[in-house]
Each structure stands twice: as C-alpha cells, then as structure tokens.
C-alpha cells in the first residue's frame, strides 16, 4: 500500500482565500497610513490656536517681545529647558515666531555632559542656536553637572568652544567654569562687546588672554591669577574675586573705577607684602566687602583710600592679632561718609569704640565680637545722648545711628540699656531743630536694635526683679515703633553669606541651654525677649 494515499490534502481553494485576505489587509494598512498622514498634516491644533482671541489678536512683534521677556526672566544658571525650546514645542505658529526672533536665542546656556554622543548632540544644538541668534549680542553660560577635576573625562569638546568663539565679536556675557579647552582657544580672539565675565573653578595654571576687552565692567573670578588675565583693570566697576593677598593688592591698585568690590583673601604666595608709597585712591568705591584673615587685612587696608565709601563689611575669623589700628588709619585717610559698617571678630572693644568716634555718619552698625572680647557697659552709656561724652569729645556718639546689631559676650547694666533706649527713641522733633545747640545736639531716632548675647552667665547674675523690670521697659518701648530683639544666642544669627560659599566665621561653642521666646504681638512693631532657665 502507498503511504502517499493517506497524506492530508489542503484544498487549493482554501489557500487562495488566505492569500486574498492577506492582500486585503495590506491594502487596508496602506490606506490607513495615508489617512494617518492626512490627519497629521491637517494641523488641527494650530488652527484651534488661531481661534483663540488672545493668540490671534496679538501682533507678531508683541508675541515675540513676550517670549523674549520670558526668556530673559529665566535664571540661565538653572539649566532648565530653555524658553525658546519650550515656546517652539507649543505649536507651529509659535515655533515660527521663535525661530525668526534672534533676541530669543541670544542667551546660550549649556550643561556639558559626559558621553561623546551627548557632546555631538550639544555641538549640533549649539550650531543651530548660533544661527538663529543672527547678529544679536550673546550671553553665554557654560557649566558641568558636577565640579570638574583633572581626572574628569572627557572634558567638554574643544569643537564646542571653537563654535562659540566664531561669534566672539558678539559675546556680551561669559559665565563659565575654568575649562582648559576654553582658556587655550580664546588667545587669538577679540571681545569688543564683553561687559560681564565670570570664571569659576580651582584651576590656577591656565592663562586667560582676553586681549583687553574695552567694555568689560563686571568681573567675578575664582581660580585664575591676576597676572594671567589680560584685561584692563582700570575699566572695572564691579569686582568679585578670590585671590591671594598679593593679587588682591594688585587688583585694588589698578582698579581705579571700582564701584563695588568683594574680595576673599585666604592665601599668600610668600611673605605678606607691605604696601610701599602712597595708597591707591579708589574715588568711586561705594561698597567694599573683604573676607580674609587678620594678617591679610592690614596690608589690604593700608593699600587703599576710599573717599566715597558708603558700606564696609569686614569678615575675619576670631583672632588675637591687631588689625583695628589699620582700620582706624584707613578711615582717617579716607574721610568717607560711611553709613553702614558690618564687622566681625572685634577683639578690642575700647579700640573699636575709638574707631567709631571717627564715623559720625554711620546709620547701620553690626558688630560681632571675638570670643575673648566683651561689649562693655561704657559703650551703651556712650550711645545715650543724655550722658555727656568724656572731656575733649564733642557732640553725640554715633548721632545718625538707626540700626544696631550685636552678637557676642556682654557686660552691660540693665538700667543703662533701658535709659539709652528711652533716650534714643525720643530725638528732638523738627519744630525744635532751630533751637538745637551744642548742649542739646540733634540725633536720629533708633529704629531697630538686635542684641544676641552668648554668655549665659551674664543673665544668671541678674536679679529676677531687675530682669522683669528690664523686659517690661523694652515691651513698652516697642509700642513707640522700635524693633527690639534682646536674646540669648549661642550661634551668630547675623552671618553674612560669603559669595564663595566659604564660612570664615567659625566658632566652636557649646550647645545653647533651654530657653524660650516671648513674642509680644499687636501694637508693638516687634519685641522678642528670651528668658533663660535660672
């Protein structure tokens, strides 16, 4: 018997039906694809946007201006999705407006990534960004996801920097880390529009040849040395820098047009220099902040004169070294109309008081005493305009003082404090100004006083009835509008943030004891008192 006689036989008609069904499905797929393409091409969302009264009624130039204002209000250092890309993702109409507005693309914020693929993508995006910016001045912000180190690989591609430098004639702002590829690429370029420059990093071996940009006014520098910056220091208006003491003195020597200056000075390349000759004059300097050590502060103050100085901040670690005499010499030379003084680690109360006698124009005073120093009762009595000064002194001690902040140890008398606050809260009124004499001179009303004492022993030695009377007097005074804060505080509540995030004021103190605040609400402006566990 033949086995082929029993094999299953598939009817030819059934196979033909399956082939027809497959052909029909293929035709439906092709038809569906055409339908999908047609639906996608109708741009219904764009037409829907056109029906909006707000969008359809806005002229193109108004829409463009709104987009630009939104872009300029975004912090470029946040490195979120840039506004031009957000706008372009809304609809085709907005995308066309964004692509045709060069000003919208004038802020370039790049976060360099690690992989080569992302580097290539970054280059493509950067080229497109530059093309769309037209001839508009550029504001460039370059950063990495973390602090780069010499072992960090790969460094941002040099090609990216070269793309940017093709438009160096349009750079108006550059905020960047100290990338080595960037420092080597700028040597042959010129920056006629550059007005704001920030270089931030720990690399101090690179030379940055900016070829004296004529419009540079604002400089923030951390890392590069003074001699490695080819700029015209005499043009600067605003300087924030972390230098060694030698570079800091050179920067102050040549920056004659400075308005604002913030310096962090914590190192020296050798022997601390002693300024020779006449101090450099900074006739326009209005605001000066120095974060440094005591042995560096003296040569810095001796190197300059600032006749227009309005605000001075000196932040130094606690030290026993003498520096107040150099501060006194600086004020004597400058004869400046200083209205605000913030000073830390005062280690000689009597010498500091003598310095303040030179500054009758001060309206705001903040002092933070070193651990070994104490605010004496004699200082509080000097502030009382009803108590005559010592023989040889005229007028009132700090007659323009309106705000006083203090942190440190105190040894004041409660009665003296109450008398001073009462006297300072009631200056002569305007009607009596014509009758002011040397026996009754004019002074300003004290608006705010904040005393944070760190020696609990002082409070524990006070009789409870005296503390009660003192607190009652302060509460009544607060009804006259004085902002009063008198409290125990172990840690300095007035620490000024260093722009370089380095806390130079560090005190190793014990933890505060139990305390609670009594806050009087209602009519008083503010009154905060702290009662200590006796």
């Amino acid at each position: 018997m033949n086995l082929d006689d029993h094999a299953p036989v598939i009817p030819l008609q059934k196979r033909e039906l399956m082939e027809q069904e497959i052909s029909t499905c293929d035709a439906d797929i092709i038809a569906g694809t055409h339908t999908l393409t047609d639906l996608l091409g109708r741009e219904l969302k764009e037409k829907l946007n056109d029906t909006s009264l707000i969008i359809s009624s806005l002229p193109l130039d108004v829409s463009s201006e709104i987009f630009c204002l939104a872009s300029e209000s975004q912090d470029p250092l946040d490195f979120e999705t840039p506004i031009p890309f957000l706008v372009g993702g809304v609809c085709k109409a907005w995308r066309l407006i964004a692509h045709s507005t060069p000003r919208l693309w004038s802020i370039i914020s790049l976060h360099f990534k690690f992989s080569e693929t992302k580097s290539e993508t970054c280059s493509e995006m950067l080229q497109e960004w530059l093309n769309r910016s037209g001839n508009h001045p550029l504001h460039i912000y370059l950063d990495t996801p973390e602090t780069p180190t010499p072992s960090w690989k790969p460094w941002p591609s040099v090609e990216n920097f070269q793309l940017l430098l093709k438009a160096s004639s349009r750079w108006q702002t550059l905020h960047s880390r100290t990338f080595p590829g960037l420092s080597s690429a700028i040597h042959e370029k010129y920056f006629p529009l550059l007005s704001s420059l920030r270089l931030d990093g720990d690399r101090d071996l690179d030379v940055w040849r900016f070829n004296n940009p004529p419009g540079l006014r604002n400089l923030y520098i951390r890392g590069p040395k003074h001699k490695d910056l080819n700029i015209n220091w005499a043009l600067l208006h605003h300087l924030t820098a972390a230098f060694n003491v030698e570079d800091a003195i050179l920067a102050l020597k040549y920056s004659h047009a400075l308005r604002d200056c913030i310096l962090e000075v914590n190192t020296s390349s050798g022997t601390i220099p002693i300024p020779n000759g006449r101090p450099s004059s900074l006739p326009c300097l209005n605001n000066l902040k120095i974060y440094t050590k005591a042995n560096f502060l003296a040569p810095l103050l001796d190197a300059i004169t600032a006749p227009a100085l309005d605000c001075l901040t000196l932040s130094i670690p606690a030290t026993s070294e003498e520096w107040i005499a150099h501060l006194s010499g600086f004020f004597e030379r400058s004869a400046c109309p200083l209205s605000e003084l913030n000073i830390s680690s005062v280690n000689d109360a009597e010498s500091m008081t003598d310095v303040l006698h030179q500054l009758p124009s001060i309206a705001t005073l903040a002092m933070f005493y070193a651990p070994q120093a104490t605010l004496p009762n004699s200082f509080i009595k000097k502030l009382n305009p009803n108590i005559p000064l010592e023989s040889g002194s005229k007028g009132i001690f700090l007659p323009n003082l309106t705000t006083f902040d203090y942190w440190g140890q105190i040894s004041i008398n409660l009665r003296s404090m109450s008398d001073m606050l009462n006297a300072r809260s009631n200056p002569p009124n305007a009607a009596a100004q014509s009758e002011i004499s040397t026996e009754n001179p004019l002074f300003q009303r004290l608006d705010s006083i904040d005393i944070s004492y760190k020696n609990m022993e002082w409070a524990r030695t006070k009789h409870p009835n005296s503390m009660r009377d003192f607190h009652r007097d302060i509460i009544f005074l607060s009804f006259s509008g004085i902002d009063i804060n008198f409290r125990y505080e172990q840690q300095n509540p007035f620490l000024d943030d260093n722009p370089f995030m380095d806390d130079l004021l560090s005190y190793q103190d014990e933890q505060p004891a139990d305390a609670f605040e009594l806050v009087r609400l209602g009519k008083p402006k503010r009154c905060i008192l702290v009662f200590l566990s006796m």
Side-chain angles (χ1 to χ4, degrees), residues 285-296:
L285 187 61
N286 183 262
N287 181 24
L288 175 61
K289 295 183 179 182
I290 301 178
Y291 301 82
T292 187
K293 300 176 181 178
N295 57 332
F296 296 153

Side-chain angles (χ1 to χ4, degrees), residues 221-530:
I221 192 78
R222 180 181 176 88
K225 299 178 181 178
H226 178 276
K227 64 182 180 61
D228 295 331
L229 288 170
N230 188 10
I231 64 173
N232 189 343
W233 293 85
L235 298 177
L236 295 180
H237 288 175
H238 309 279
L239 172 63
T240 301
F243 280 148
N244 61 41
V245 64
E246 294 85 359
D247 282 353
I249 291 176
L250 286 175
L252 292 173
K253 179 179 179 180
Y254 295 113
S255 303
H256 303 296
L258 278 183
R259 271 70 167 168
D260 300 283
C261 182
I262 302 176
L263 293 176
E264 180 193 50
V265 184
N266 283 328
T267 61
S268 173
S269 59
T271 305
I272 299 175
I274 300 176
N276 296 321
R278 190 174 183 179
S280 299
S281 179
L282 302 176
C284 302
L285 187 61
N286 183 262
N287 181 24
L288 175 61
K289 295 183 179 182
I290 301 178
Y291 301 82
T292 187
K293 300 176 181 178
N295 57 332
F296 296 153
L297 179 61
L300 289 171
L301 292 175
D302 292 344
I304 60 173
T305 298
L309 191 64
D310 179 70
C311 177
L312 176 63
T313 298
L314 300 177
S315 181
I316 61 178
T319 178
S320 60
E321 296 186 37
E322 173 55 42
W323 53 268
I324 295 181
H326 297 272
L327 178 63
S328 178
F330 168 75
F331 286 133
E332 185 176 354
R333 289 193 312 274
S334 299
C336 54
L338 196 73
S339 67
E340 181 175 348
L341 177 62
N342 306 288
I343 192 164
S344 71
S345 297
V346 176
N347 53 20
D348 188 336
E350 185 176 352
S351 296
M352 191 67 230
T353 303
D354 293 339
V355 170
L356 293 175
H357 272 291
Q358 302 174 250
L359 305 170
S361 57
I362 284 185
T364 299
L365 175 62
M367 297 193 302
F368 319 129
Y369 275 24
Q372 72 272 20
T374 301
L375 183 68
N377 191 61
S378 58
F379 184 87
I380 299 300
K381 294 179 70 174
K382 283 181 178 292
L383 286 176
N384 190 338
N386 294 334
I387 299 178
L389 297 177
E390 298 85 351
S391 58
S393 300
K394 297 181 179 180
I396 289 180
F397 180 61
L398 300 180
N400 292 293
L401 187 66
T402 59
T403 302
F404 177 47
D405 294 336
Y406 172 81
W407 178 81
Q409 297 190 122
I410 61 174
S411 60
I412 64 177
N413 180 276
L414 295 177
R415 187 71 265 165
S416 297
M417 187 70 178
S418 295
D419 291 343
M420 183 275 290
L421 291 175
N422 273 292
R424 284 276 179 169
S425 66
N426 295 291
N429 56 41
Q433 287 188 13
S434 59
E435 302 177 4
I436 298 298
S437 63
T438 56
E439 290 76 17
N440 185 26
L442 182 65
F443 60 91
Q444 296 297 319
R445 180 179 180 277
L446 187 64
D447 293 326
S448 173
I449 183 168
D450 194 327
I451 293 183
S452 297
Y453 59 93
K454 55 177 289 188
N455 53 326
M456 185 184 296
E457 299 78 15
W458 171 84
R460 285 174 174 163
T461 60
K462 302 303 176 185
H463 192 279
N465 290 340
S466 298
M467 294 293 286
R468 180 201 60 197
D469 294 341
F470 175 65
H471 291 149
R472 181 193 59 199
D473 291 344
I474 288 183
I475 290 173
F476 286 143
L477 280 169
S478 66
F479 278 86
S480 66
I482 299 180
D483 191 348
I484 302 176
N485 190 342
F486 193 89
R487 59 185 174 182
Y488 168 79
E489 186 78 45
Q490 194 70 10
Q491 299 297 325
N492 190 344
F494 308 109
L495 282 177
D496 187 18
D497 290 334
N498 189 318
F500 307 102
M501 304 306 294
D502 292 332
D503 186 7
L504 302 178
L505 295 172
S506 58
Y507 295 94
Q508 302 299 324
D509 293 317
E510 61 184 15
Q511 294 299 316
D514 293 335
F516 65 91
E517 290 186 351
L518 172 64
V519 182
R520 290 296 300 252
L521 304 177
K523 292 183 178 179
K525 183 176 181 181
R526 188 182 71 157
C527 176
I528 299 179
L529 306 176
V530 174

Side-chain angles (χ1 to χ4, degrees), residues 110 112 122-123 126 130 140 142-144 152 155-168 171 174 176-186 189 191 208:
L110 294 180
F112 290 110
C122 183
S123 297
L126 179 57
L130 289 170
I140 301 172
L142 309 176
D143 204 352
T144 58
W152 182 72
W155 285 98
S157 171
V158 177
E159 287 73 18
N160 290 326
F161 298 138
Q162 291 174 342
L163 277 176
L164 284 170
L165 285 166
K166 289 180 179 179
S168 63
W171 287 19
L174 173 63
S176 173
R177 289 191 179 273
T178 51
F179 299 118
L182 179 60
S183 63
S184 60
I186 67 172
K189 301 297 181 179
F191 308 88
W208 297 81

Side-chain angles (χ1 to χ4, degrees), residues 64-76 83-84 103-104 106-107 136 139 141:
S64 176
E65 181 67 18
I66 292 174
F67 297 155
C68 289
L69 292 175
S71 177
E72 292 164 3
S73 66
Q74 183 184 38
D75 184 357
I83 293 296
R103 176 183 160 195
L104 190 60
S106 65
I107 301 176
H136 208 277
H139 306 274
Y141 301 84

